[in-house]
Amino acid sequence: MHTPPAPSANDWSPEEFRSYCQQVSDWIAGYLAGLRSYPVLSPVQPGQIKSALPASPPASPEPFAQILVDFERVILPGITHWNHPRFFAYFSITGSGPGILGELLAAALNVNAMLWKTSPAATEMEEVVLDWLRQMLRLPEAFRGVINDTASVSSLCAMAAAREAAGLQVRDKGLSGRQGLPRLCMYTSEQAHSSIEKAAIVLGIGQQGLRKIPCDHHYRMDVEALAQAIRHDIAAGYRPLCVIATIGTTSTTSVDPVAAIAELCAAHGLWLHVDAAYAGVTAMLPEKRDLFTGWEQADSIVVNPHKWLFTPIDCSVLFCRRPDVLRQAFSLTPEYLRTAEQDQVVNLMDYGVSLGRRFRSLKLWMVMRSLGTSGIAAVLRQHMSYAHRLGDLIAAHPQIELVTPVWFSTVVFRFRPPAVPEETVNALNARLLETVNHTGAVMLSHTVLRGQYALRLAIGNLRTTWEDVELAWRTVQEQAEKLTTADLG
Ligand code: PLP
């Protein structure tokens, strides 16, 4: 039943809300349509935004119209436009229309999905949508998903579950000062994301306890080196706990040989966690399945819809084949969080660090429904076809070279003019990146591979066209030609 709105003493009236909402949605529509007119990389200097903002809060209410004016005047210049179709740095992402509205509705409901009872739809939606995603990625039914803010937290939780699975009672007794507790260790490749090392620090494994296994010439974990490291550690009295493999590493998007790693994990009773934060969604494409062979044997997998599934940040999915162990690692129910139905339902607080949780599955649901699996597959294929097309152009260029094969939608390359001494090439590429990004037309990022500085161009925005990629390529060539003789050493 609809009752007439009561006048609200403290918050906006419905009329005010409607009017401001209209202004904001008009602004967003214009922003999304006109994104190409903005410089991708914010040109501001450190401290510039802070100095334009008042140091103290306003004592009296301010009109929303004025706040919106200041948003455009003060904040916008300090934005690096991640939603720009020519943002190609790090991993390119998308705040899509349905995702943005999903965020808005989630904010309006403002539920905390910590317990089933505190919003049954938020819990059950998360279970259903993540099962859709599981099916889409062709993972076995045993995998259960849970949403975290970031892959860093998803991997931390997975690695905590691995520690729990070892039966060392760390949850109960901790790690410090324990007689007879062996030194613990975990394994990942030297190309793994830094979040894995951070998790090792947090979990008391320590940086020294995380073995960074060398890679082959394509930056994939060397399984023989992994096998040797495990054997060596066991002989030295260490207790190996887990291996973290990556499908789509951050620097080059290389893919570790997961099937062989899974076999080793099974032989040694180690937990296998797969970091597929960026590339995981492509498991839905039959032509990419080879790269995922063996991942179904993992104990846990992370895939980030906020990377390449057009869902606004933050939304990271941890799939776990042993959710009971994850629960065992994290479940702790004080009296004030007990509910009558707790043994019959999923209480999301039991599967991670945080108690409070946003209703993140709503935006993912809206994105998946709005695009459909065929729409998602079509965009992923388009992005990868652009990346391959760019890779071909680079391979044909006399002075710019591909550094690694194009595995997904990321292209890694460097400027390598023949007459320039090798020791100058790194500085030259750093300068090239700076000048390319300084144009404001595009934004790329960089990495260093075996001492060689390289540029990365990652395609992943829903609105990116081939013309955007072409413009990026033209900008790189123009800026490379403009580098001065001083730059060339
Ligand atoms: N794993 C991989 C392979 C990544 O590339 C990244 C970030 O780019 C992460 C994990 C960390 O992601 P998040 O920012 O969600 O913690």
Side-chain angles (χ1 to χ4, degrees):
M1 197 180 70
H2 192 261
T3 47
S8 165
N10 295 319
D11 202 359
W12 290 339
S13 68
E15 293 71 30
E16 283 171 313
F17 187 85
R18 201 167 286 124
S19 153
Y20 299 144
C21 202
Q22 185 68 52
Q23 285 177 43
V24 170
S25 69
D26 285 349
W27 186 88
I28 294 173
Y31 172 72
L32 296 178
L35 261 166
R36 285 186 181 82
S37 64
Y38 290 90
V40 186
L41 176 65
S42 167
V44 300
Q45 295 302 310
Q48 194 175 322
I49 303 297
K50 241 194 290 186
S51 66
L53 292 166
S56 314
S60 316
E62 297 189 79
F64 192 66
Q66 186 56 47
I67 301 173
L68 274 184
V69 166
D70 288 347
F71 165 75
E72 280 213 75
R73 185 181 61 85
V74 181
I75 306 301
L76 215 58
I79 293 297
T80 289
H81 295 277
W82 282 71
N83 228 0
H84 196 298
R86 291 196 294 269
F87 180 100
F88 298 120
Y90 311 108
F91 283 123
S92 166
I93 59 176
T94 313
S96 59
I100 294 169
L101 293 188
E103 284 281 24
L104 181 65
L105 287 171
L109 298 173
N110 203 27
V111 302
N112 185 334
M114 57 192 193
L115 299 165
W116 177 86
K117 179 185 178 171
T118 58
S119 216
T123 298
E124 295 188 14
M125 166 81 82
E126 185 158 325
E127 290 183 86
V128 170
V129 171
L130 298 191
D131 198 62
W132 286 5
L133 185 61
R134 177 196 66 74
Q135 293 171 46
M136 195 174 108
L137 305 185
R138 291 160 212 269
L139 284 170
E141 267 178 41
F143 280 93
R144 291 290 148 84
V146 62
I147 299 183
N148 292 302
D149 54 358
T150 57
S152 303
V153 168
S154 291
S155 289
L156 171 72
C157 293
M159 289 158 69
R163 197 183 61 178
E164 190 60 27
L168 301 165
Q169 298 174 290
V170 176
R171 174 193 161 115
D172 187 29
K173 297 183 177 167
L175 286 170
S176 66
R178 280 181 66 185
Q179 299 293 317
L181 185 72
R183 292 284 306 274
L184 309 176
C185 59
M186 296 186 173
Y187 305 83
T188 195
S189 94
E190 58 191 9
Q191 288 293 317
H193 189 264
S194 55
S195 55
I196 303 304
E197 188 166 339
K198 230 182 220 190
I201 295 169
V202 173
L203 291 168
I205 306 302
Q207 285 171 291
Q208 288 182 15
L210 182 71
R211 315 295 195 220
K212 293 185 183 170
I213 305 299
C215 290
D216 69 7
H217 63 295
H218 280 326
Y219 305 100
R220 301 172 292 208
M221 195 193 294
D222 175 343
V223 185
E224 190 39 49
L226 172 65
Q228 261 181 33
I230 295 171
R231 281 198 300 269
H232 180 269
D233 280 332
I234 293 172
Y238 277 85
R239 174 75 190 269
L241 295 180
C242 135
V243 179
I244 301 99
T246 312
I247 297 182
T249 57
T250 311
S251 283
T252 70
T253 74
S254 60
V255 176
D256 289 336
V258 177
I261 294 171
E263 227 172 88
L264 257 182
C265 286
H268 290 280
L270 305 184
W271 184 284
L272 173 59
H273 175 59
V274 174
D275 178 355
Y278 152 71
V281 278
T282 65
M284 73 182 296
L285 305 175
E287 67 271 27
K288 287 283 153 192
R289 287 301 294 179
D290 279 359
L291 294 173
F292 290 83
T293 307
W295 85 324
E296 70 287 347
Q297 293 170 56
D299 297 284
S300 55
I301 295 173
V302 58
V303 177
N304 271 14
H306 80 222
K307 286 207 195 305
W308 204 4
L309 193 47
F310 322 119
T311 307
I313 189 165
D314 49 10
C315 186
S316 170
V317 176
L318 175 61
F319 284 111
C320 195
R321 203 152 49 86
R322 298 164 70 186
D324 50 318
V325 180
L326 189 61
R327 190 171 187 285
Q328 199 178 307
F330 288 108
S331 179
L332 191 65
T333 313
E335 182 53 40
Y336 44 83
L337 294 174
R338 287 192 190 286
T339 62
E341 66 288 330
Q342 64 185 24
D343 297 330
Q344 304 146 44
V345 297
V346 165
N347 283 324
L348 288 169
M349 68 163 189
D350 289 337
Y351 296 88
V353 180
S354 62
L355 167 66
R357 339 183 115 248
R358 304 174 60 229
F359 190 179
R360 295 191 189 93
S361 56
L362 186 62
K363 59 185 170 183
L364 181 56
W365 183 63
M366 292 194 169
V367 169
M368 288 178 77
R369 287 191 62 184
S370 300
L371 274 83
T373 54
S374 60
I376 294 166
V379 180
L380 297 178
R381 287 190 170 117
Q382 194 181 48
H383 288 166
M384 288 190 281
S385 77
Y386 294 164
H388 282 286
R389 211 165 144 189
L390 175 63
D392 291 344
L393 291 175
I394 292 173
H397 193 280
Q399 300 198 329
I400 301 179
E401 62 186 19
L402 274 181
V403 175
T404 60
V406 177
W407 301 107
F408 298 98
S409 68
T410 301
V411 187
V412 188
F413 60 95
R414 73 199 297 249
F415 183 34
R416 183 75 188 84
V420 177
E422 182 60 37
E423 59 277 12
T424 312
V425 174
N426 278 359
L428 188 66
N429 277 276
R431 179 96 190 98
L432 175 60
L433 178 66
E434 200 184 313
T435 58
V436 164
N437 288 347
H438 190 69
T439 65
V442 297
M443 183 171 169
L444 313 187
S445 60
H446 82 282
T447 188
V448 172
L449 295 160
R450 309 220 156 108
Q452 296 193 328
Y453 192 103
L455 276 62
R456 292 172 71 268
L457 187 155
I459 302 167
N461 186 283
L462 206 49
R463 302 176 195 93
T464 299
T465 62
W466 170 245
E467 285 67 36
D468 292 314
V469 180
E470 241 181 349
L471 195 147
W473 175 226
R474 237 184 3 257
T475 307
V476 167
Q477 292 173 90
E478 281 165 12
Q479 295 305 317
E481 276 164 28
K482 275 195 211 157
L483 288 172
T484 60
T485 40
D487 292 316
L488 296 171

